Amino acid sequence: MLTGPIAIAGAEPGDMLEVRIRKVDLAIPYAYKAFRYGAESLTDDFRYARMKIVPLDAKRMVGLFAPGVEVPLAPFFGSMGAPPPAFGRYDSSPPTINGGNMIDFLVAEKGMTRDDAYMLISVAGDVEITEFVDRNKGVHVVLPKAVFTKR
């Protein structure tokens, strides 16, 4: 995990920085995903908190999300850089990613729980939100079939 603050000579708030990461090693053999009521965009659909531990296979570079579900690993550092001046203190926790009707599909067709379906979408889905006004949401998800190892 990369956390700051760190000093870069001459950098000013709002500057764009070029950072080249040469290698990322997995420090621990697991990852986790969590959600909690009130902190996510689908908070009305998940009125409770849940955390899931996902074992990692470092040799194959996959997360063993559930039996028959493997997520390719692509480690990254999230957001790095000098915060915009208007933000002041900046929260470095990851952004939220949400799923919509894909949840019902994964429950019905793949036998997943709603919790696991929601968390799988947030780590393996290509999610786009087309509308988010007055708690109405248009969420579109593309989930690679390759994450499902069982046919």
Side-chain angles (χ1 to χ4, degrees):
M1 176 178 284
L2 175 67
T3 187
I6 60 171
I8 299 176
E12 297 288 332
D15 282 356
M16 180 178 289
L17 305 173
E18 179 177 342
V19 177
R20 295 181 185 194
I21 299 173
R22 295 186 177 151
K23 183 179 179 187
V24 177
D25 289 323
L26 302 178
I28 52 178
Y30 65 90
Y32 83 94
K33 171 62 185 159
F35 62 81
R36 65 182 167 80
Y37 180 69
E40 309 256 349
S41 295
L42 294 179
T43 195
D44 291 335
D45 296 327
F46 295 90
R47 295 179 172 267
Y48 47 90
R50 174 137 186 265
M51 183 175 75
K52 180 177 185 69
I53 301 296
V54 180
L56 303 179
D57 182 332
K59 289 182 182 175
R60 295 178 44 232
M61 288 301 284
V62 294
L64 307 173
F65 190 84
V69 181
E70 295 181 350
V71 178
L73 300 181
F76 67 99
F77 284 100
S79 300
M80 292 189 293
F87 280 13
R89 186 179 177 115
Y90 184 76
D91 182 356
S92 64
S93 41
T96 28
I97 301 173
N98 305 289
N101 289 336
M102 179 67 78
I103 293 170
D104 295 335
F105 170 79
L106 292 173
V107 169
E109 299 299 320
K110 298 296 182 181
M112 300 180 82
T113 66
R114 285 180 51 78
D115 297 350
D116 279 352
Y118 178 64
M119 288 191 269
L120 175 64
I121 290 167
S122 74
V123 298
D126 180 7
V127 181
E128 293 187 25
I129 298 175
T130 56
E131 181 180 354
F132 195 80
V133 179
D134 298 326
R135 301 189 66 79
N136 292 313
K137 49 209 169 270
V139 182
H140 307 275
V141 178
V142 176
L143 188 64
K145 290 181 181 178
V147 302
F148 301 103
T149 58
K150 289 184 181 178
R151 301 240 181 245

